PDB file of all heavy atoms in Angstrom:
ATOM      1  N   THR A 313      89.174  97.914  62.984  1.00  0.00           N
ATOM      2  CA  THR A 313      88.478  97.617  61.728  1.00  0.00           C
ATOM      3  C   THR A 313      87.550  98.747  61.305  1.00  0.00           C
ATOM      4  O   THR A 313      87.166  98.817  60.133  1.00  0.00           O
ATOM      5  CB  THR A 313      87.670  96.320  61.862  1.00  0.00           C
ATOM      6  OG1 THR A 313      86.758  96.434  62.973  1.00  0.00           O
ATOM      7  CG2 THR A 313      88.584  95.130  62.118  1.00  0.00           C
ATOM      8  N   ASP A 314      87.201  99.657  62.223  1.00  0.00           N
ATOM      9  CA  ASP A 314      86.363 100.808  61.850  1.00  0.00           C
ATOM     10  C   ASP A 314      87.082 101.693  60.832  1.00  0.00           C
ATOM     11  O   ASP A 314      86.454 102.267  59.944  1.00  0.00           O
ATOM     12  CB  ASP A 314      85.991 101.627  63.081  1.00  0.00           C
ATOM     13  CG  ASP A 314      85.067 100.882  64.025  1.00  0.00           C
ATOM     14  OD1 ASP A 314      84.320  99.995  63.558  1.00  0.00           O
ATOM     15  OD2 ASP A 314      85.106 101.177  65.228  1.00  0.00           O
ATOM     16  N   VAL A 315      88.399 101.799  60.957  1.00  0.00           N
ATOM     17  CA  VAL A 315      89.162 102.622  60.016  1.00  0.00           C
ATOM     18  C   VAL A 315      89.047 102.057  58.607  1.00  0.00           C
ATOM     19  O   VAL A 315      88.750 102.778  57.653  1.00  0.00           O
ATOM     20  CB  VAL A 315      90.641 102.707  60.444  1.00  0.00           C
ATOM     21  CG1 VAL A 315      91.455 103.481  59.407  1.00  0.00           C
ATOM     22  CG2 VAL A 315      90.765 103.373  61.804  1.00  0.00           C
ATOM     23  N   SER A 316      89.301 100.755  58.456  1.00  0.00           N
ATOM     24  CA  SER A 316      89.243 100.157  57.129  1.00  0.00           C
ATOM     25  C   SER A 316      87.838 100.184  56.563  1.00  0.00           C
ATOM     26  O   SER A 316      87.641 100.375  55.357  1.00  0.00           O
ATOM     27  CB  SER A 316      89.779  98.722  57.165  1.00  0.00           C
ATOM     28  OG  SER A 316      89.110  97.957  58.129  1.00  0.00           O
ATOM     29  N   ALA A 317      86.809 100.012  57.426  1.00  0.00           N
ATOM     30  CA  ALA A 317      85.428 100.062  56.946  1.00  0.00           C
ATOM     31  C   ALA A 317      85.092 101.445  56.395  1.00  0.00           C
ATOM     32  O   ALA A 317      84.465 101.579  55.337  1.00  0.00           O
ATOM     33  CB  ALA A 317      84.464  99.690  58.075  1.00  0.00           C
ATOM     34  N   LEU A 318      85.517 102.494  57.097  1.00  0.00           N
ATOM     35  CA  LEU A 318      85.251 103.855  56.642  1.00  0.00           C
ATOM     36  C   LEU A 318      86.034 104.176  55.373  1.00  0.00           C
ATOM     37  O   LEU A 318      85.507 104.775  54.430  1.00  0.00           O
ATOM     38  CB  LEU A 318      85.594 104.855  57.743  1.00  0.00           C
ATOM     39  CG  LEU A 318      84.633 104.891  58.932  1.00  0.00           C
ATOM     40  CD1 LEU A 318      85.215 105.687  60.085  1.00  0.00           C
ATOM     41  CD2 LEU A 318      83.277 105.477  58.515  1.00  0.00           C
ATOM     42  N   ARG A 319      87.307 103.779  55.339  1.00  0.00           N
ATOM     43  CA  ARG A 319      88.104 104.065  54.151  1.00  0.00           C
ATOM     44  C   ARG A 319      87.569 103.345  52.924  1.00  0.00           C
ATOM     45  O   ARG A 319      87.567 103.901  51.816  1.00  0.00           O
ATOM     46  CB  ARG A 319      89.564 103.689  54.414  1.00  0.00           C
ATOM     47  CG  ARG A 319      90.271 104.659  55.356  1.00  0.00           C
ATOM     48  CD  ARG A 319      91.676 104.211  55.667  1.00  0.00           C
ATOM     49  NE  ARG A 319      92.376 105.218  56.479  1.00  0.00           N
ATOM     50  CZ  ARG A 319      93.483 104.977  57.158  1.00  0.00           C
ATOM     51  NH1 ARG A 319      94.019 103.776  57.127  1.00  0.00           N
ATOM     52  NH2 ARG A 319      94.060 105.948  57.868  1.00  0.00           N
ATOM     53  N   THR A 320      87.120 102.118  53.121  1.00  0.00           N
ATOM     54  CA  THR A 320      86.535 101.376  51.997  1.00  0.00           C
ATOM     55  C   THR A 320      85.302 102.084  51.451  1.00  0.00           C
ATOM     56  O   THR A 320      85.026 102.057  50.244  1.00  0.00           O
ATOM     57  CB  THR A 320      86.174  99.943  52.444  1.00  0.00           C
ATOM     58  OG1 THR A 320      87.363  99.274  52.894  1.00  0.00           O
ATOM     59  CG2 THR A 320      85.547  99.156  51.309  1.00  0.00           C
ATOM     60  N   ALA A 321      84.579 102.755  52.362  1.00  0.00           N
ATOM     61  CA  ALA A 321      83.375 103.487  51.951  1.00  0.00           C
ATOM     62  C   ALA A 321      83.701 104.883  51.433  1.00  0.00           C
ATOM     63  O   ALA A 321      82.789 105.663  51.143  1.00  0.00           O
ATOM     64  CB  ALA A 321      82.400 103.576  53.121  1.00  0.00           C
ATOM     65  N   GLY A 322      84.988 105.224  51.331  1.00  0.00           N
ATOM     66  CA  GLY A 322      85.382 106.526  50.809  1.00  0.00           C
ATOM     67  C   GLY A 322      85.489 107.621  51.840  1.00  0.00           C
ATOM     68  O   GLY A 322      85.660 108.793  51.494  1.00  0.00           O
ATOM     69  N   VAL A 323      85.405 107.257  53.122  1.00  0.00           N
ATOM     70  CA  VAL A 323      85.518 108.238  54.209  1.00  0.00           C
ATOM     71  C   VAL A 323      86.922 108.137  54.781  1.00  0.00           C
ATOM     72  O   VAL A 323      87.232 107.254  55.574  1.00  0.00           O
ATOM     73  CB  VAL A 323      84.464 107.984  55.307  1.00  0.00           C
ATOM     74  CG1 VAL A 323      84.593 109.008  56.423  1.00  0.00           C
ATOM     75  CG2 VAL A 323      83.069 108.010  54.719  1.00  0.00           C
ATOM     76  N   ARG A 324      87.807 109.055  54.378  1.00  0.00           N
ATOM     77  CA  ARG A 324      89.207 108.967  54.741  1.00  0.00           C
ATOM     78  C   ARG A 324      89.669 110.090  55.664  1.00  0.00           C
ATOM     79  O   ARG A 324      90.730 109.994  56.274  1.00  0.00           O
ATOM     80  CB  ARG A 324      90.082 108.946  53.484  1.00  0.00           C
ATOM     81  CG  ARG A 324      89.727 107.851  52.486  1.00  0.00           C
ATOM     82  CD  ARG A 324      90.740 107.779  51.356  1.00  0.00           C
ATOM     83  NE  ARG A 324      92.055 107.377  51.829  1.00  0.00           N
ATOM     84  CZ  ARG A 324      92.443 106.105  52.021  1.00  0.00           C
ATOM     85  NH1 ARG A 324      91.589 105.117  51.773  1.00  0.00           N
ATOM     86  NH2 ARG A 324      93.651 105.829  52.449  1.00  0.00           N
ATOM     87  N   THR A 325      88.899 111.151  55.775  1.00  0.00           N
ATOM     88  CA  THR A 325      89.303 112.275  56.619  1.00  0.00           C
ATOM     89  C   THR A 325      88.242 112.572  57.663  1.00  0.00           C
ATOM     90  O   THR A 325      87.083 112.144  57.545  1.00  0.00           O
ATOM     91  CB  THR A 325      89.531 113.542  55.778  1.00  0.00           C
ATOM     92  OG1 THR A 325      88.270 114.008  55.288  1.00  0.00           O
ATOM     93  CG2 THR A 325      90.478 113.266  54.614  1.00  0.00           C
ATOM     94  N   VAL A 326      88.643 113.330  58.687  1.00  0.00           N
ATOM     95  CA  VAL A 326      87.698 113.746  59.721  1.00  0.00           C
ATOM     96  C   VAL A 326      86.588 114.594  59.104  1.00  0.00           C
ATOM     97  O   VAL A 326      85.414 114.464  59.466  1.00  0.00           O
ATOM     98  CB  VAL A 326      88.437 114.527  60.823  1.00  0.00           C
ATOM     99  CG1 VAL A 326      87.445 115.065  61.853  1.00  0.00           C
ATOM    100  CG2 VAL A 326      89.482 113.650  61.504  1.00  0.00           C
ATOM    101  N   ASP A 327      86.930 115.443  58.142  1.00  0.00           N
ATOM    102  CA  ASP A 327      85.926 116.303  57.515  1.00  0.00           C
ATOM    103  C   ASP A 327      84.908 115.484  56.735  1.00  0.00           C
ATOM    104  O   ASP A 327      83.703 115.780  56.761  1.00  0.00           O
ATOM    105  CB  ASP A 327      86.621 117.306  56.594  1.00  0.00           C
ATOM    106  CG  ASP A 327      87.653 118.131  57.343  1.00  0.00           C
ATOM    107  OD1 ASP A 327      87.286 119.155  57.931  1.00  0.00           O
ATOM    108  OD2 ASP A 327      88.827 117.707  57.370  1.00  0.00           O
TER     109      ASP A 327
END
Side-chain angles (χ1 to χ4, degrees):
T313 56
D314 293 333
V315 176
S316 54
L318 288 168
R319 287 176 175 163
T320 300
V323 180
R324 305 187 65 84
T325 70
V326 175
D327 303 274

